[in-house]
Amino acid sequence: MKLKQLFNVIFLSFFFLFVTFSLAQAQEARKLTDKKWKFDLVEIVKEMNSSALVLDSLTENAGTNSEKAHYQNLRNGLEAMWHFIPHIGSTTFEFKKNGTLVIVWEGKQITRGKWKLEGKTLTLHLSDEIEDVITINKLTDNKLVATTENDSSLRLVSME
């Protein structure tokens, strides 16, 4: 009889652990849904300015002309990215409760995909060929800070 009671206690413990985990997951997912998100331009500009300073320093201290050219090319690429800031700023992401992801660029829907949140991993299925796996570092009701598979920073803020 005691073995059966022990089994019941273990089963109930796992059941409550599963329910608690499921509720926590649902709460995290609710932070993403029912609102539109946009890129955090303030943080993007800060990161770009910081990167520009680093590249300037690396270019200045490069030992060979080849190294200087390499860092200068990276700096030129960064300069070209500044032209995309207005476009990036108009991009919105909407995570629907049914698992649908809608991305709008300059007022036009460009992607309708799927999203799934498991723990700190946010998976975006944008098409049959494109799947992005994002690690969430911080998620609040109005801010998402994450890292993409290629270690790029992703910062979104809620528009609502």
Side-chain angles (χ1 to χ4, degrees):
M1 190 66 157
K2 293 199 185 251
L3 185 59
K4 186 176 180 183
Q5 287 174 333
L6 179 63
F7 177 75
N8 286 339
V9 167
I10 291 171
F11 174 77
L12 286 174
S13 297
F14 278 116
F15 175 75
F16 285 122
L17 182 64
F18 173 77
V19 168
T20 302
F21 178 75
S22 296
L23 289 173
Q25 279 293 110
Q27 185 176 352
E28 288 296 297
R30 260 188 300 250
K31 290 178 184 176
L32 283 173
T33 59
D34 292 332
K35 59 185 97 169
K36 289 185 181 179
W37 295 82
K38 65 178 183 170
F39 287 107
D40 187 344
L41 293 183
V42 171
E43 289 299 322
I44 290 173
V45 169
K46 281 182 189 176
E47 287 179 13
M48 289 177 72
N49 284 335
S50 177
S51 295
L53 290 173
V54 168
L55 287 171
D56 289 345
S57 176
L58 289 171
T59 302
E60 192 175 302
N61 295 313
T64 66
N65 287 337
S66 173
E67 286 177 326
K68 284 184 183 192
H70 173 72
Y71 293 130
Q72 187 58 48
N73 285 338
L74 290 174
R75 180 67 158 89
N76 292 342
L78 187 62
E79 287 289 324
M81 289 175 60
W82 280 104
H83 300 286
F84 287 102
I85 293 291
H87 305 290
I88 291 170
S90 69
T91 304
T92 61
F93 300 83
E94 190 173 356
F95 298 90
K96 306 239 183 209
K97 285 182 182 178
N98 67 1
T100 302
L101 170 65
V102 177
I103 302 175
V104 175
W105 171 277
E106 296 186 327
K108 297 178 186 148
Q109 180 178 317
I110 59 166
T111 301
R112 186 173 187 91
K114 297 282 184 188
W115 69 276
K116 181 171 58 170
L117 180 64
E118 296 177 314
K120 295 289 183 184
T121 302
L122 177 61
T123 305
L124 309 178
H125 297 277
L126 304 176
S127 71
D128 289 339
E129 300 86 33
I130 301 173
E131 177 180 281
D132 285 331
V133 178
I134 298 165
T135 302
I136 295 176
N137 302 325
K138 179 181 180 180
L139 176 60
T140 66
D141 289 330
N142 59 5
K143 191 170 218 162
L144 168 65
V145 179
T147 307
T148 65
E149 287 177 298
N150 63 1
D151 291 329
S152 294
S153 175
L154 175 67
R155 295 174 184 272
L156 300 177
V157 290
S158 170
M159 297 175 63
E160 299 166 9

